[in-house]
Amino acid sequence: MSGLDIDLRKKLLNLYNKKKYSELEFEIELLGDLETQPLPIIMTYAASKALNLSSKKEDFVKAAYLFEKIYNQDKNNLEALYNLIIVSLKSKEFIYALNHLIERVKINKEDIKVLEGLFKIYSILGNISQALNYAEQLIKINPGDLNVWEGILSSFHYISNKSQEEYFKQALEFDKLPKINCEPFIKINNKKSKIKLAFLSPDFKMHSVGFFLKGVLEKISKKDFEIIAFSNLDTKYHDPMTDDLKKIFNKWHDIKNISDLEFVNLARSLDVDILIDLSGFTLGNRIQALRVRCAPIQISWLGYCNTLGLECVDYLIADPNLIKKEEEKFYSEKILYLPNIWNAMSKPKDFPDVNILPVKNNSIFTFGSFNNFSKLSDETIKVWSKILNNSNSRLVLKSGSLTSDSTIENIRNKFFKFILEKNKILILNKDINRKDHIEQYNQIDVALDPFPYPGVTTSFESVMMGVPVLTMRGFNFNSRCGESINLNLEMQEFIATNSEDYYLKAIQLQKDPTKLELLRGSLREKVLASPLFDVDNFSENFCNTLKKVWNNHIDG
């Protein structure tokens, strides 16, 4: 901060060191036009924006602009570049960062911070193949990076050319990595009047996990089970769904701020009998705790639809449509097959009414997908573009997660490589209110399921709103979720065998609006009578399965 009055320099440094970032920013702004200030002042201001807990998206974008300005003046200033990565990820806007990172990695192929930045940015944008490429480079440099390993395993589900066998081999390799240091688990077979059943998740909130879990929890007999929550969700994100779930559980433990070892010791001290993990390798997981065993029986269900490949996870809950008997060798867990479907949702109380088929009032047929944009694989985009190019139709898209301008521009550009008429793509903003979100299904004639990573919650919502979902036949648990949903609805005609069949079915569906109109009028009733929303029967099967697993454990 040379050139500044000594007293002012001391004041600014004092504010920075005391983390009084808002005051610091105010003092710097009083100096006049920020861009004409010395680089150390600009750097301090941008760093303050990055660290300030009061900063909002626009503050992070402004900081990114300033860090880029500094980096452009000195390409050896890697501190500016690394800070540019941080604020870009916080804002989820990458206009200032991405090209510099691509340029930098050509100069130094082993710059871990740059590689991590590219991996995370491309993951957010939904460019999963590119993200996976950088993740694999990171693993070559640091084979023990657990977070990158988890990212690689999750990424496999989004890419069409990755087989279950390849995924399984990677998962087994992950479990060979060093584990946390703790006392070995000692299994004791004690008969009890109640089974202590714990659920572990970072998503006890308005989230797909909450939507499916709540109804099941309400049906679990408190005479047979004591149900415990291990919530890895920051308490500042608790919402009305969290409050509802808290009322159902017998015990609730917030574990976000404790270590994996502390969580292991907590679970063991509570003498949990069965621990059901609801997150797998997704964000906010406690995989490292599961790897050293928190309970005598550990089960994977609901939030992650594939094997974990972990020696200490004993069972995986699925259904007969998802995993074939001859494929069990590619799953480390024993498969618990529920009779109909692997999960069920409570009958909603406030879903909007189903409207008439939109094409009846429009001059164009409307396809739609409300799945996260990261699920829209390159193959999916090619097939959907082919459908739009060869029919009088449009496609309405909305991501289930909050999107940025960078994400929206990226998904548009992917389609615009293939689509002849750009106005055939309509992207909606995410609705904060769930009822408003559900209402928008009334704009859609037929929903298109992405592949190889289909929707689940979106498919339940869609058919509940009278909108059938065209899905693709899969090759493993994850890719068959849409298939299982349609099979449970006895709607085999909406399951395509391959990309060409998918295309032909989509074209044919547009040619018979009368058939679609009749289906739209009856689909909700059909759905409510199906296993998808039969929480009573599902919960009975679910609890009986858990009791059987526990009794087998007791009997040794």
Side-chain angles (χ1 to χ4, degrees), residues 213-226:
L213 183 64
K214 183 184 174 186
V216 177
L217 290 177
E218 289 173 334
K219 300 296 181 181
I220 294 176
S221 169
K222 298 293 180 70
K223 293 180 180 179
D224 299 321
F225 296 92
E226 177 185 338

Side-chain angles (χ1 to χ4, degrees), residues 174-200:
F174 171 82
D175 202 31
K176 294 177 184 177
L177 297 173
K179 300 178 182 180
I180 59 175
N181 188 21
C182 71
E183 293 295 321
F185 185 86
I186 300 174
K187 290 188 179 183
I188 301 174
N189 298 359
N190 288 330
K191 289 190 176 181
K192 300 178 180 179
S193 58
K194 289 185 180 182
I195 299 171
K196 286 190 177 182
L197 174 63
F199 293 85
L200 167 63

Side-chain angles (χ1 to χ4, degrees), residues 117-236:
L118 287 165
F119 166 53
K120 292 175 181 178
I121 287 170
Y122 280 125
S123 294
I124 291 170
L125 289 174
N127 294 11
I128 304 301
S129 293
Q130 288 166 288
L132 187 57
N133 174 53
Y134 289 111
E136 289 171 346
Q137 291 182 49
L138 283 165
I139 288 299
K140 288 178 182 177
I141 298 169
N142 182 8
D145 191 324
L146 296 169
N147 290 328
V148 176
W149 266 101
E150 292 173 18
I152 288 174
L153 289 166
S154 294
S155 297
F156 265 61
H157 298 125
Y158 297 86
I159 302 173
S160 297
N161 62 355
K162 298 293 185 181
S163 69
Q164 179 63 17
E165 185 174 3
E166 287 179 273
Y167 169 85
F168 183 48
K169 287 179 180 177
Q170 291 276 13
L172 293 178
E173 287 299 311
F174 171 82
D175 202 31
K176 294 177 184 177
L177 297 173
K179 300 178 182 180
I180 59 175
N181 188 21
C182 71
E183 293 295 321
F185 185 86
I186 300 174
K187 290 188 179 183
I188 301 174
N189 298 359
N190 288 330
K191 289 190 176 181
K192 300 178 180 179
S193 58
K194 289 185 180 182
I195 299 171
K196 286 190 177 182
L197 174 63
F199 293 85
L200 167 63
S201 177
D203 298 315
F204 292 137
K205 58 180 179 177
M206 292 296 289
H207 182 277
S208 296
V209 166
F211 300 147
F212 285 102
L213 183 64
K214 183 184 174 186
V216 177
L217 290 177
E218 289 173 334
K219 300 296 181 181
I220 294 176
S221 169
K222 298 293 180 70
K223 293 180 180 179
D224 299 321
F225 296 92
E226 177 185 338
I227 52 175
I228 301 166
F230 291 123
S231 175
N232 205 35
L233 174 68
D234 194 315
T235 54
K236 68 183 178 183

Side-chain angles (χ1 to χ4, degrees), residues 276-537:
I276 298 183
D277 175 63
L278 304 173
S279 54
F281 290 116
T282 60
L283 192 64
N285 70 69
R286 288 287 186 154
I287 285 291
Q288 299 314 313
L290 295 177
R291 292 181 69 210
V292 295
R293 193 171 287 282
C294 302
I297 297 171
Q298 296 190 149
I299 299 175
S300 178
W301 175 57
L302 188 59
Y304 193 80
C305 298
N306 208 333
T307 181
L308 297 177
L310 306 183
E311 182 184 359
C312 286
V313 174
D314 309 290
Y315 298 97
L316 173 63
I317 294 177
D319 70 47
N321 302 313
L322 299 169
I323 301 172
K324 312 303 180 186
K325 287 290 183 180
E326 63 273 18
E327 298 168 353
E328 290 182 1
K329 61 186 176 183
F330 298 129
Y331 297 79
S332 61
E333 307 88 352
K334 293 179 182 177
I335 311 301
L336 299 174
Y337 291 99
L338 296 182
N340 299 307
I341 196 164
W342 83 105
N343 60 12
M345 189 181 287
S346 293
K347 295 177 181 178
K349 298 176 182 177
D350 58 351
F351 261 43
D353 292 335
V354 176
N355 70 344
I356 64 169
L357 194 69
V359 74
K360 291 288 184 178
N361 291 329
N362 300 324
S363 58
I364 191 168
F365 192 93
T366 304
F367 292 106
S369 171
F370 291 172
N371 291 281
N372 290 335
F373 291 161
S374 55
K375 290 187 176 183
L376 307 191
S377 66
D378 293 343
E379 184 65 21
T380 295
I381 289 172
K382 288 178 185 177
V383 173
W384 289 2
S385 298
K386 184 179 178 182
I387 293 166
L388 297 176
N389 285 337
N390 290 279
S391 63
N392 180 33
S393 62
R394 64 178 179 175
L395 176 62
V396 176
L397 298 173
K398 182 171 67 170
S399 180
S401 57
L402 289 172
T403 52
S404 63
D405 292 342
S406 294
T407 310
I408 291 172
E409 181 182 7
N410 185 63
I411 200 69
R412 284 187 191 278
N413 289 338
K414 286 182 178 182
F415 274 100
F416 292 168
K417 289 179 183 177
F418 306 102
I419 284 185
L420 302 175
E421 299 175 57
K422 294 183 178 181
N423 62 355
K424 286 194 167 193
I425 297 290
L426 176 63
I427 299 179
L428 306 178
N429 292 323
K430 176 181 170 64
D431 297 285
I432 302 300
N433 181 287
R434 188 168 187 241
K435 190 172 183 180
D436 291 340
H437 158 68
I438 300 296
E439 178 75 45
Q440 290 188 321
Y441 283 97
N442 278 329
Q443 300 182 35
I444 300 172
D445 293 298
V446 170
L448 297 180
D449 217 3
F451 51 90
Y453 199 153
V456 177
T457 306
T458 50
S459 295
F460 273 69
E461 293 170 345
S462 184
V463 294
M464 185 63 184
M465 289 301 296
V467 182
V469 181
L470 177 60
T471 194
M472 177 78 82
R473 181 173 294 168
F475 58 89
N476 65 357
F477 185 157
N478 189 76
S479 63
R480 289 182 181 134
C481 289
E483 192 176 343
S484 183
I485 290 168
N486 276 354
L487 287 171
N488 274 278
L489 290 172
E490 298 180 349
M491 294 176 65
Q492 287 87 339
E493 70 273 22
F494 285 89
I495 301 172
T497 55
N498 53 45
S499 295
E500 182 64 16
D501 188 40
Y502 192 110
Y503 162 73
L504 293 173
K505 284 181 182 294
I507 296 296
Q508 186 59 40
L509 284 167
Q510 298 175 62
K511 296 179 179 179
D512 197 349
T514 302
K515 182 179 179 181
L516 282 177
E517 187 175 27
L518 289 172
L519 178 59
R520 195 181 191 90
S522 62
L523 188 52
R524 176 175 288 188
E525 183 178 356
K526 180 185 182 75
V527 167
L528 288 174
S530 76
L532 274 68
F533 286 90
D534 188 356
V535 173
D536 288 344
N537 190 51

